């Protein structure tokens, strides 16, 4: 008997149907690419919006500043001092408000605004006597004070006795002492602040 061999033909897919190229991974990759393109588009839109807002702010600032007729605010830090120093010697209370020394200090500050001289003060501590005031006065002289003011009886006496030995330094004695040479006196009472300011200005300019 002869064997009959049956030929089996495999079925082919229809021409209109194609299998996805690359399988599931390729499909996922294409989906991710589409999402990235969508995100890039949103980012560009947001960046463009930010540029527009920034431009509008710049234009607004320019317009506002262009129509501002107010004078510029002065810079309080622009004040420069000269190399001239005016120093005040006071009693133990220093420049406490309500004291004569406080009014003298105000006059010195007025003079400083006009002459740009530096002003400072020192107070005599301990015993309030002429002998104890001298070391404090000498300390000011060693600090190269160009103008020395003294207020208070011990301080004025010490400065009055020392002034003849320091001809290049101007002394302003408040409420006592004798004027002459490098010494100027200012009376206490009404007009003390203005009198001190004027005396300091003259002394500073004489040594400027």
């Amino acid at each position: 008997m002869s064997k009959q061999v049956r030929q089996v033909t495999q079925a082919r897919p229809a021409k209109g149907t194609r299998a996805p190229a690359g399988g599931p991974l390729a499909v996922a990759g294409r989906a991710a690419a589409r999402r990235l393109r969508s995100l890039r588009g949103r980012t560009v839109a947001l960046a463009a919006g930010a540029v527009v807002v920034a431009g509008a702010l710049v234009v607004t600032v320019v317009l506002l500043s262009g129509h501002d007729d107010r004078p510029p605010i002065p810079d309080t830090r622009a004040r420069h001092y000269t190399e001239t120093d005016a120093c005040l010697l006071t009693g133990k209370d220093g420049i406490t408000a309500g004291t004569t020394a406080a009014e003298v200090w105000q006059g010195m500050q007025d003079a400083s605004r006009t002459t740009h001289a530096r002003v400072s003060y020192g107070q005599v501590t301990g015993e309030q006597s002429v002998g104890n005031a001298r070391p404090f006065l000498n300390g000011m002289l060693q600090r190269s004070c160009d103008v020395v003011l003294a207020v208070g009886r011990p301080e004025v006496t010490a400065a009055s006795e020392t002034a003849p030995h320091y001809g290049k330094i101007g002394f302003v004695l408040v409420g006592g002492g004798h004027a002459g040479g490098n010494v100027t006196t200012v009376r206490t009472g009404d007009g003390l602040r203005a009198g001190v300011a004027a005396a300091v200005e003259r002394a500073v300019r004489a040594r400027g």
Side-chain angles (χ1 to χ4, degrees), residues 37-113:
R37 284 195 295 271
S38 175
L39 290 176
R40 281 200 297 269
R42 293 180 184 177
T43 302
V44 171
L46 290 174
V51 170
V52 172
V53 172
L57 288 175
V58 171
V59 172
T60 302
V61 171
V62 171
L63 291 176
L64 290 176
S65 61
H67 293 82
D68 191 357
D69 296 329
R70 294 175 298 177
I73 299 175
D75 186 0
T76 56
R77 297 173 298 175
R79 184 178 178 186
H80 298 286
Y81 291 97
T82 65
E83 294 301 318
T84 305
D85 291 275
C87 310
L88 170 63
L89 182 65
T90 76
K92 62 179 180 178
D93 294 329
I95 55 173
T96 303
T99 63
T100 301
E103 194 171 354
V104 173
W105 176 246
Q106 291 174 339
M108 292 177 65
Q109 290 180 311
D110 294 340
S112 176
R113 282 188 283 270

Side-chain angles (χ1 to χ4, degrees), residues 136-180:
F136 294 92
L137 175 61
N138 292 336
M140 288 186 172
L141 299 174
Q142 291 172 4
R143 290 203 330 254
S144 300
C145 291
D146 303 284
V147 180
V148 173
L149 292 87
V151 57
R153 182 172 297 177
E155 292 74 26
V156 167
T157 301
S160 179
E161 294 175 352
T162 304
H165 305 287
Y166 292 87
K168 294 183 179 181
I169 296 177
F171 287 82
V172 178
L173 309 181
V174 179
H178 300 281

